[in-house]
């Protein structure tokens, strides 16, 4: 078994260890009291900004790129087969500079895979990078052997490739490590949704994703097709990330060990690494010319630690311009109108924006109201003056969303996400150890899971989505509708969710999706039976 432990370093995060652990204790007491508390610790933004060393580009000077759609290498009656080569690529991300990226297929983001609900996808990943990798389809309803368990490494194909951090494990249902390549099988027995794939290597997810290992995987179905939502060029996946850049244009990241043999980041960044450049689909503060028509914007927060409060400026008359139609687990039952949306790392929000509500020629900025300096802006939309046809719409009813019946819940489990003086970031006081399950839920049972935090923790559960039951002894929040697989748990707060695991027995993961927290041991196994 392998255990991640924080190296023997003092805790330094802007508050004293005694003060921080006092707040942690308050969070635990809050959970024991039934979440009857209020936020009081760093309500806006976890983490620390890592300043770039390179000159920063201007805003709205480059066009928004759209990741290419990956075509199957072959197909048969039930399955589409894809090949992805993980490779180093030299990219121009900051204009005038070259950035060495770790990529899926030579691009950042990686190519978008588009699947049909009920039609299987098999994706062969070949690792030509200098370090081991693991691929996780985030939001995928996936068998354990293809879920991207963090110990199931794909070692570099080239002989002599570094295998730093390779550990054996004995988790039930896991696939083990292989050399060179692995086939990941995705049955796609799930609703239409915006999924994404990214690296999930034990202890090194943060630097791998920071260097470029992330891409979209979109699922469509008949229900979605019948709604007449925007399609084609007006259906846009938008991967929002923040990054910092070294003087030579390379990705700047505060690794404790640049050789990537020891996990973790420098002390002061252990609460999360924030960049000072906002990228959308790999471009800094891009611009997009849009028709005066409805667009579906698939927002994905693929940042390591940064939260965003997304809003359009100017706001059109009447407000409610961000019409949410979907979330992590697919379509909502009914659309929800927002003026702004809070989105934590790994969360997805599908919204429809009707740009005909803006005057021709308007520059509409997408703002981040939780940002500072240049990170207060994300991208812009330049509204055309031409007249266009638009037959897209947002119906008042979108899809049927099954309600999990809490009266049938068999078990309530509590998971406390805390900083430990001895072990760093922990769940229920324990650092991650592969093969040591924290829960053994039975397939088909409804359970209630409680997540209790000290500071901000976006909590992600593998295998199946969940439904938010309540926050701090109240109802769900404004961004909790529908099926979710990641929930933003606020400082010294608690969230209760209803979950039901189905179909696949084996070892799966529960963890914080602040990637620096995840890498520094804030993960736990659960085994479905």
């Amino acid at each position: 078994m392998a255990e991640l432990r924080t190296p023997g370093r003092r805790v330094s995060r802007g508050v004293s260890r005694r003060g921080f652990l006092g707040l942690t204790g308050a969070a635990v007491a809050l959970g024991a009291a039934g979440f009857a508390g209020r936020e009081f610790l760093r309500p806006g933004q976890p983490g620390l900004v890592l300043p770039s060393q390179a000159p920063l580009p201007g805003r709205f000077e480059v066009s928004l790129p759209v990741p290419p759609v990956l075509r199957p290498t072959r197909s048969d009656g039930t399955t589409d087969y894809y090949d992805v080569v993980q490779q180093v690529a030299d990219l121009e991300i900051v204009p005038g500079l070259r950035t060495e990226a770790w990529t899926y297929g030579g691009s950042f983001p990686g190519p978008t895979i588009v699947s049909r609900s009920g039609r299987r996808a098999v994706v062969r990943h070949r690792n030509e990078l200098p370090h081991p990798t693991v691929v996780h389809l985030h939001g995928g309803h996936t068998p354990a052997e293809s879920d991207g368990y963090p110990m199931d490494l794909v070692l570099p194909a080239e002989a002599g490739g570094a295998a730093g951090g390779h550990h054996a494990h004995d988790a039930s249902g896991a696939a083990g490590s292989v050399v060179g390549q692995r086939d990941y099988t995705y049955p796609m027995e799930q609703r239409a949704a915006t999924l994404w794939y990214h690296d999930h290597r034990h202890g090194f997810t943060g630097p791998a994703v920071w260097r470029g290992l992330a891409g979209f995987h979109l699922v469509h179905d008949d229900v979605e097709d019948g709604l007449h939502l925007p399609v084609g060029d007006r259906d846009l996946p938008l991967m929002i990330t923040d990054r910092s850049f070294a003087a030579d244009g390379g990705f700047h990241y505060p690794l404790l060990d640049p050789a990537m043999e020891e996990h973790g980041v420098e002390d002061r960044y252990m609460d999360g690494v924030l960049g000072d450049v906002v990228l959308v689909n790999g471009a800094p503060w891009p611009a997009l010319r849009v028709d005066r028509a409805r667009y579906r914007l698939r927002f994905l927060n693929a940042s390591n630690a940064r939260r965003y409060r997304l809003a359009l400026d100017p706001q059109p008359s009447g407000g409610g311009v961000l019409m949410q139609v979907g979330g992590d687990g697919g379509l909502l039952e009914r659309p929800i109108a927002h003026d702004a949306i809070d989105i934590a790392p790994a969360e997805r929000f599908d919204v429809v924006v009707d740009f005909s509500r803006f005057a021709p020629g308007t520059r509409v900025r997408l703002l981040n109201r939780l940002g500072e300096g240049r990170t207060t802006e994300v991208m812009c939309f330049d509204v055309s003056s031409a007249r266009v046809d638009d037959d897209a719409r947002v119906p008042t009813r979108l899809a049927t969303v099954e309600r999990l019946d809490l009266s049938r819940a068999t078990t309530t489990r509590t998971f406390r996400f805390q900083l430990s003086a001895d072990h760093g970031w922990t769940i229920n006081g324990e650092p991650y150890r592969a093969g040591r399950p924290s829960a053994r839920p039975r397939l088909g049972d409804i359970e209630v899971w409680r997540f209790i935090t000290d500071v901000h923790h976006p909590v992600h559960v593998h295998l199946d989505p969940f439904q938010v039951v309540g926050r701090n002894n109240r109802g769900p929040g404004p961004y909790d509708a529908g099926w979710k697989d990641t929930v933003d748990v606020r400082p010294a707060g608690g969230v209760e969710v209803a979950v039901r695991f189905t179909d696949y027995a084996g070892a799966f993961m529960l963890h914080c999706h602040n990637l620096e927290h995840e890498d520094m041991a804030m993960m736990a196994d659960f085994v479905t039976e």
Side-chain angles (χ1 to χ4, degrees), residues 9-17 20 48 266-271 419:
R9 314 192 306 273
R10 64 180 177 84
V11 176
S12 175
R13 299 178 56 254
V15 295
S16 70
R17 174 180 286 175
F20 189 89
L48 181 67
E266 299 171 7
D267 282 356
R268 58 185 178 148
Y269 292 100
M270 66 180 293
D271 194 19
L419 182 67

Side-chain angles (χ1 to χ4, degrees), residues 197-218:
Y197 61 101
H198 61 80
D199 191 73
H200 208 270
R201 178 188 169 196
H202 179 58
F204 298 95
T205 298
V209 173
W210 188 272
R211 292 179 179 184
L213 290 180
F216 282 100
H217 192 139
L218 308 182

Side-chain angles (χ1 to χ4, degrees), residues 136 140 142-152 169-176 200 432-441 443 449 461-464 501 504-510 524-529:
H136 171 53
T142 303
E145 59 269 18
S146 291
D147 184 59
Y149 188 81
M151 313 303 295
D152 292 346
H169 67 88
D170 61 358
S172 171
H200 208 270
Y432 178 62
R433 181 178 295 153
R436 180 182 61 188
S438 296
R440 290 184 176 273
L443 293 174
W449 285 16
V461 178
H462 288 212
L463 180 57
D464 277 290
F501 299 107
Y504 306 119
F508 295 92
M509 300 297 302
L510 163 75
D525 286 1
F526 65 91
V527 174
T528 55
E529 301 175 327

Side-chain angles (χ1 to χ4, degrees), residues 22 25 49 58 106 111 120 135 145 158 162 180 257 310 318 409 450 453 457 469-471 481-482 497 516 522:
V49 174
R120 190 172 65 160
V135 180
E145 59 269 18
E158 292 296 324
D257 174 17
L310 301 176
R450 287 177 156 188
T453 60
H457 296 295
V469 176
R471 290 177 175 267
V497 306
E516 282 69 50
M522 192 166 259

Side-chain angles (χ1 to χ4, degrees), residues 232-245:
D233 292 342
R234 295 177 187 165
D235 181 357
L236 290 171
L238 299 176
M239 180 184 290
I240 302 172
T241 63
D242 60 335
R243 296 290 185 267
S244 296
F245 292 88

